[in-house]
Amino acid sequence: MPGSRSRTRSDYTLRLLLEKIVEYGLSDHTRNLVEDAQRHMGYRSPYRGGRTLTDLLRQAHTGARAEGDQDAAERLEDALSYATHVMLAPDLEIKYQLLGGARGRHANALTTFGSLFAAFVADKARTFLDDYPQATRDDLMAYLDEMKRMVITDVAGAAGVFELSRSMNEQATWMTEVLIDRLHTGDSSVHVTPTAEASAEEIADVVLLRARRRALRELDAVVLNRHSSERDLQRALEKNLWIFGGTQLADRLGPRRISRGIELDLALLRPDGTVHVVELKRAAVPLLTHQRDRWVPTNEVHRAVAQAMNYLVALDEDRPRLAEQGIDVRRASATVIIGHPQFEEAASENEVDAALRVYNSHLSRVEVVTYQQVVKRADRVLQLME
């Protein structure tokens, strides 16, 4: 149904934004494109969206940039980002003051939510102290900590009624007990538990290592799922930036929309402040094909590399503006992550690695790796930590 598609959003908020963009002033050419987008949407709900709408918005954005109208280009980029679910409605409404008093309305909503939540916690604490008048401060804090594991479920036979209960997954309970009380050192003859002898830092290291092991297994499962989309892979990697190792800061992500007109899958920041672009493609794609009795990369690999190169060119051209924002792109580089030997019909893992090694030797600023290589590198890092 128009206006409710998951890939394109076309609603009254977008309609108001386009009207405001026209009011701010546009060239005749760009205004015609925006008005074409308005006519395509229609003038009453349900509004039409789809590929036609995003194409018209992209054309208008490109036209504004070509004319040097950066303000209009930014507004049209916001409209496109909203239509493609990149920009959230509250951010858009606050920035352009759509629907009247948007900033105050959303602030009031946050205030109301905060007040209700504070009242909920205070009521729970008051009830606990009424039931256990001899409870200490630590007892109260332990009770409130238990709220982190509360689960909300609907009550059968009572529409619109919900029940709040404490619940802890059995596996999580077991892992917590093992990590705190039953995890011994590598020397089996000593059998000293972390709680008895190890420092807090050592216990934290063990917990971190096990968490990363689990995260790596989860990433590998997503990679090996033939039906995983690029978005699935992106979400899995965003949660585990440590996987990229020491060449990038593991806790810092740069803005995805770092430059006008492009949207990066991942923008990592190196320790020296420069940008490293990560372009993600699906794992279940062919990597190699035969050419004169040799394995060479497929067109999918070439297109991904060309896309990464175009991003680097765009960053180079936008360097002065980015420098003013404290973002250094002078030595920016890129990694393309694509494919997995498991999905190759004929080529072996060694043949994939060898072909990509030769291919990478002829590239500058761009490297192509498989998801298997990424997982294996991360696994070696964890082995060193052990």
Side-chain angles (χ1 to χ4, degrees):
M1 183 176 69
S4 62
R5 299 179 182 179
S6 61
R7 299 184 67 178
T8 302
R9 177 164 50 182
S10 178
D11 56 17
Y12 186 58
T13 298
L14 180 60
R15 176 80 195 172
L16 288 178
L17 176 60
L18 294 182
E19 291 176 357
K20 182 155 285 193
I21 290 174
V22 172
E23 291 175 7
Y24 283 140
L26 298 168
S27 69
D28 290 342
H29 173 67
T30 305
R31 187 178 65 254
N32 288 337
L33 290 171
V34 174
E35 289 175 349
D36 285 343
Q38 291 174 306
R39 280 191 289 271
H40 170 76
M41 289 180 62
Y43 298 93
R44 63 181 64 182
S45 181
Y47 298 99
R48 292 188 297 275
R51 178 72 175 273
T52 301
L53 176 61
T54 55
D55 284 348
L56 288 169
L57 293 176
R58 284 194 181 93
Q59 291 173 26
H61 172 256
T62 301
R65 285 197 64 186
E67 294 165 354
D69 190 345
Q70 297 302 326
D71 291 336
E74 180 179 347
R75 294 163 188 152
L76 287 165
E77 184 177 5
D78 288 342
L80 181 59
S81 297
Y82 178 75
T84 54
H85 298 272
V86 174
M87 192 170 189
L88 300 176
D91 291 331
L92 196 76
E93 293 169 359
I94 291 172
K95 182 174 181 178
Y96 294 99
Q97 283 297 285
L98 303 177
L99 302 174
R103 183 178 289 108
R105 188 174 65 258
H106 289 296
N108 290 337
L110 288 172
T111 300
T112 300
F113 175 80
S115 298
L116 290 173
F117 182 74
F120 170 77
V121 173
D123 181 68
K124 288 296 178 182
R126 192 178 299 110
T127 301
F128 176 80
L129 293 175
D130 288 342
D131 294 339
Y132 304 96
Q134 304 302 321
T136 65
R137 174 183 178 278
D138 289 340
D139 293 332
L140 175 60
M141 294 305 299
Y143 173 77
L144 295 178
D145 282 339
E146 281 293 310
M147 293 177 61
K148 298 175 183 177
R149 292 186 284 271
M150 284 185 172
V151 177
I152 297 176
T153 54
D154 58 328
V155 177
V161 179
F162 300 88
E163 183 179 64
L164 189 67
S165 60
R166 294 189 191 89
S167 174
M168 192 171 184
N169 182 275
E170 184 177 352
Q171 181 75 7
T173 304
W174 174 81
M175 289 184 65
T176 302
E177 180 183 339
V178 169
L179 287 172
I180 294 177
D181 299 321
R182 292 192 276 137
L183 183 63
H184 297 272
T185 63
D187 185 355
S188 58
S189 64
V190 178
H191 294 296
V192 179
T193 61
T195 53
E197 298 292 341
S199 67
E201 290 79 7
E202 290 171 330
I203 296 175
D205 288 341
V206 171
V207 174
L208 176 63
L209 180 61
R210 291 186 176 237
R212 288 187 170 181
R213 276 286 179 203
R214 184 171 62 252
L216 191 59
R217 289 195 299 270
E218 292 172 356
L219 172 63
D220 200 35
V222 175
V223 169
L224 295 177
N225 182 350
R226 180 180 294 274
H227 304 291
S228 292
S229 65
E230 293 176 16
R231 181 59 182 150
D232 295 330
L233 294 162
Q234 179 181 334
R235 280 194 290 261
L237 287 170
E238 282 178 339
K239 297 176 182 176
N240 300 283
L241 298 182
W242 64 270
I243 284 174
F244 293 100
T247 57
Q248 292 85 31
L249 288 180
D251 60 347
R252 292 187 64 191
L253 263 178
R256 292 181 60 196
R257 296 170 63 199
I258 194 171
S259 183
R260 293 187 177 95
I262 65 174
E263 183 176 332
L264 307 176
D265 290 337
L266 291 175
L268 304 180
L269 298 180
R270 292 183 181 276
D272 61 0
T274 58
V275 174
H276 185 84
V277 175
V278 179
E279 177 62 24
L280 303 176
K281 298 300 179 185
R282 293 181 62 241
V285 297
L287 288 170
L288 302 182
T289 185
H290 259 299
Q291 184 176 3
R292 296 184 179 179
D293 297 326
R294 287 184 179 274
W295 288 110
V296 296
T298 60
N299 288 333
E300 283 84 352
V301 176
H302 292 308
R303 282 195 292 268
V305 169
Q307 186 175 355
M309 289 179 176
N310 287 335
Y311 288 156
L312 294 179
V313 170
L315 293 179
D316 289 341
E317 293 174 345
D318 208 12
R319 183 165 64 88
R321 185 184 67 84
L322 294 173
E324 294 176 355
Q325 301 177 16
I327 300 175
D328 188 357
V329 296
R330 288 175 299 174
R331 299 177 301 281
S333 55
T335 296
V336 174
I337 308 179
I338 183 173
H340 192 290
Q342 174 171 304
F343 301 114
E344 293 297 303
E345 294 183 358
S348 66
E349 177 184 339
N350 289 337
E351 288 170 328
V352 169
D353 291 343
L356 291 183
R357 188 163 55 248
V358 172
Y359 185 63
N360 283 323
S361 68
H362 296 280
L363 297 177
S364 175
R365 300 175 66 188
V366 179
E367 179 190 22
V368 180
V369 298
T370 67
Y371 283 95
Q372 184 187 61
Q373 290 172 333
V374 171
V375 171
K376 281 190 171 183
R377 290 176 185 177
D379 184 64
R380 285 195 291 270
V381 170
L382 296 182
Q383 289 177 17
L384 292 174
M385 290 176 62
E386 293 174 339

